[in-house]
Amino acid sequence: MNVCVFGASSTQIDPSYIALTETLGEQLAAEGHTLVYGAGGSGLMGAVARGMTRGGGRIVGVVPSFFKVDGILYEHCDEIVYTDTMRQRKQIMDERSDAFVVTPGGIGTYEEFFEIYTLRQLARHNKPIIIFNINGYYDKLLEVLEHTVEERFMQESCLQLYTVATTPEQVLEQLAATQDASQIEDNKYL
């Protein structure tokens, strides 16, 4: 499965976020998944990539050409796809991915999450979205989404369009469950 991981590029974050995201990368690799991500070498982007490298996994980085600056990109990507714009970057990551994992991040990560979430709500894809809620980072965001439903700006069914995991193992379990479900769906007409 091609798994897109969104996350921070910040180097100022608590080391516990880094450690758990590196573990996620190792476990994704151990399960034979391919990482599709923003090609960054620092923060949680770098952490998931380092974990994938340690685990022997395949890494596809997708990045706008203007980020092609020394020290920005992860040097061990198996493939790098250069784009002209951030919008093209997200489109390619969407097209090349079977599932999305949202690790903690800043405004760019929020924007990536909300775009893929909106596209799922609009039935433009049916790919799993897993929020990796390390250290309760996304608790407030999840509360906002629930509040949005309570105030009737969003239907309650939209809360079913993503799942939440707090450990790398839970992320992998949720990916396996969705993979099993899609295989059942694919085989039901055989």
Side-chain angles (χ1 to χ4, degrees):
M1 180 182 285
N2 292 338
V3 180
C4 182
V5 176
F6 299 130
S9 62
S10 173
T11 58
Q12 305 298 312
I13 57 181
D14 187 280
S16 63
Y17 292 102
I18 300 287
L20 284 169
T21 305
E22 283 185 4
T23 299
L24 173 65
E26 288 180 54
Q27 292 182 3
L28 287 169
E31 293 295 320
H33 298 296
T34 294
L35 172 65
V36 177
Y37 86 123
S42 62
L44 299 189
M45 282 199 289
V48 72
R50 287 190 302 275
M52 286 293 290
T53 297
R54 269 200 304 280
R58 178 169 163 68
I59 302 170
V60 177
V62 184
V63 63
S65 297
F66 60 82
F67 278 135
K68 196 175 186 180
V69 178
D70 285 346
I72 299 288
L73 303 182
Y74 185 64
E75 64 276 5
H76 300 295
C77 290
D78 295 289
E79 177 185 354
I80 294 188
V81 178
Y82 289 102
T83 65
D84 292 327
T85 67
M86 294 291 278
R87 287 183 179 150
Q88 290 171 334
R89 175 197 211 184
K90 290 182 297 179
Q91 181 179 355
I92 289 170
M93 290 193 306
D94 176 11
E95 291 170 354
R96 295 204 48 182
S97 300
D98 303 307
F100 303 92
V101 177
V102 184
T103 67
I107 194 157
T109 304
Y110 289 135
E111 191 261 345
E112 290 165 332
F113 164 66
F114 277 111
E115 180 168 330
I116 213 69
Y117 185 34
T118 300
L119 291 172
R120 183 149 186 210
Q121 186 266 331
L122 295 171
R124 301 295 80 186
H125 74 86
N126 193 30
K127 301 170 186 178
I129 301 170
I130 302 168
I131 297 174
F132 188 14
N133 193 21
I134 300 171
N135 298 339
Y137 180 81
Y138 282 118
D139 287 352
K140 299 290 187 193
L141 175 65
L142 297 170
E143 288 176 21
V144 167
L145 295 175
E146 290 172 7
H147 178 70
T148 305
V149 169
E150 290 166 7
E151 294 295 320
R152 296 190 296 257
F153 285 94
M154 181 170 77
Q155 294 185 11
E156 187 168 5
S157 61
C158 290
L159 299 177
Q160 307 306 310
L161 299 178
Y162 60 83
T163 58
V164 179
T166 57
T167 66
E169 293 77 18
Q170 287 177 351
V171 172
L172 270 289
E173 288 168 9
Q174 290 177 23
L175 286 172
T178 59
Q179 195 170 21
D180 292 344
S182 69
Q183 288 172 350
I184 291 168
E185 183 69 22
D186 290 345
N187 293 327
K188 76 179 186 181
Y189 298 109
L190 295 179

